Amino acid sequence: MRDFSANHRWLSINTATVRAQWPLDRIIDECAARGIRAISPWRDQVAAVGLDDVAKRLRSTGIELSGYCRGGMFPASTAEGRQRALDDNRRAVDEAATLNAACLVLVVGGLPGALAGAPEHRDIAAARTDVRDGIAATLEYARSAGMPLAIEPLHPMYAADRACVNTLEHALDLCDALDPERSGALGVAVDLYHVWWDPKLQEQIARAGKERLLAFHVCDWLVPTRDMLNDRGMMGDGIIDIPRIRGWVEAAGFAGYSEVEIFSSENWWRRDGGEVLDACIERHRSSV
Ligand code: ZN
């Protein structure tokens, strides 16, 4: 297992972590000033600054993308809705390619309309069919663009509104069905916040192997967790045995960035952005 204690060579910052403090251009500059070599930005943050400006700034600072957030949200209750989702995913693939991202992260979606508070049906099996079909169609396009797709299984508490793929096993079943040759075009994003509790985690990480492990997202699970979405903890402040799971991921062949992704409306989003990045560096060395 790699030694992270001496430096932060393998730290990446998911830019949602300081989204409340800074726009993306400032985030890139602040990361560069601290020797952080990779980020994973969100589409709305990129759009706010401008895709070409972001690409230029990445080139001039030498910062690379450990991933791009995000595609997905495939389920819809009409054919037009499903087509809209595919069109949007193609744009996401194109943006990710322009920014030379390591992968496009997919948050696959749940029941159509649920995220807006108005679920249009109760058929989660139908939603999962939409997800499978949506990934299959997007995969074809992503292959031609040379952009790997990383399915991110989300904690089951999000099954209704954000993602109806909730375990690493389920995500890998999709990978095996749609990319049986393990080509590297389709894999998973392992986010500890979503999967730490899974009794099959170790065996599924081993099953994923190097070809399927495209991204590794870290934060911590606080006890108590006061908000389902926006109360993620800084590494070391909760109950996830992060080094143990990183050991499993690396034993399976993953050798990429450890991406810090913290949504924290009551704590880290209220602090100075520089303080947050400095804490990410320190905890990356001590607690990842
Ligand atoms: Zn994540």
Side-chain angles (χ1 to χ4, degrees):
M1 183 164 144
R2 294 171 292 176
D3 177 11
F4 282 178
S5 67
N7 59 59
H8 55 287
R9 167 70 182 84
W10 292 107
L11 167 66
S12 172
I13 298 292
N14 184 295
T15 57
T17 305
V18 281
R19 72 172 308 140
Q21 290 92 339
W22 295 322
L24 186 57
D25 47 359
R26 175 87 186 271
I27 294 172
I28 292 170
D29 291 347
E30 295 281 352
C31 284
R34 287 170 175 77
I36 293 168
R37 298 165 43 100
I39 61 170
S40 182
W42 287 65
R43 292 182 75 193
D44 63 317
Q45 293 177 301
V46 169
V49 172
L51 183 63
D52 293 338
D53 281 8
V54 172
K56 208 179 300 170
R57 197 169 290 255
L58 290 170
R59 275 195 300 275
S60 70
T61 55
I63 288 183
E64 48 185 20
L65 262 56
S66 57
Y68 189 49
C69 298
R70 57 179 164 59
M73 296 292 162
F74 295 108
S77 51
T78 63
E80 295 74 34
R82 284 186 284 274
Q83 187 58 49
R84 259 199 308 280
L86 293 183
D87 293 344
D88 190 52
N89 275 278
R90 284 185 173 218
R91 286 192 292 275
V93 167
D94 292 342
E95 292 165 23
T98 298
L99 299 175
N100 204 20
C103 60
L104 174 65
V105 172
L106 300 181
V107 172
V108 298
L111 298 174
L115 194 56
E120 289 155 27
H121 63 64
R122 297 174 175 179
D123 190 347
I124 195 166
R128 287 177 172 144
T129 299
D130 287 354
V131 165
R132 186 198 150 109
D133 294 348
I135 295 174
T138 304
L139 181 59
E140 217 172 297
Y141 185 75
R143 273 187 205 278
S144 70
M147 180 51 56
L149 300 178
I151 304 170
E152 181 164 331
L154 261 52
H155 191 287
M157 65 186 171
Y158 301 117
D161 56 0
R162 291 178 195 275
C164 57
V165 172
N166 305 104
T167 62
L168 194 51
E169 182 174 34
H170 187 179
L172 290 169
D173 287 348
L174 281 166
C175 291
D176 286 351
L178 300 176
D179 176 50
E181 62 276 22
R182 297 176 69 87
S183 68
L186 183 61
V188 294
V190 174
D191 184 325
L192 297 186
Y193 185 76
H194 297 301
V195 302
W196 69 271
W197 56 273
D198 186 347
K200 290 185 175 176
L201 185 58
Q202 185 176 8
E203 69 180 63
Q204 293 300 318
I205 285 172
R207 171 190 171 194
K210 187 178 167 56
E211 300 82 11
R212 298 273 200 237
L213 291 169
L214 301 184
F216 182 59
H217 299 176
V218 302
C219 67
D220 217 331
W221 182 277
L222 300 176
V223 178
T225 289
R226 296 162 298 175
D227 182 281
M228 282 165 62
L229 187 63
N230 294 323
D231 192 24
R232 295 185 180 211
M234 181 63 71
M235 300 81 72
D237 288 345
I239 51 74
I240 304 178
D241 190 343
I242 301 172
R244 178 187 295 227
I245 303 174
R246 181 163 74 85
W248 297 343
V249 169
E250 296 197 9
F254 180 77
Y257 287 99
S258 176
E259 178 182 318
V260 177
E261 184 181 29
I262 297 174
F263 311 154
S264 174
S265 54
E266 298 304 315
N267 185 356
W268 296 98
W269 282 347
R270 294 185 172 213
R271 302 195 192 200
D272 173 74
E275 181 192 344
V276 176
L277 290 184
D278 292 342
C280 290
I281 291 171
E282 193 222 311
R283 299 298 183 87
H284 173 82
R285 294 169 66 154
S286 65
S287 306
V288 174

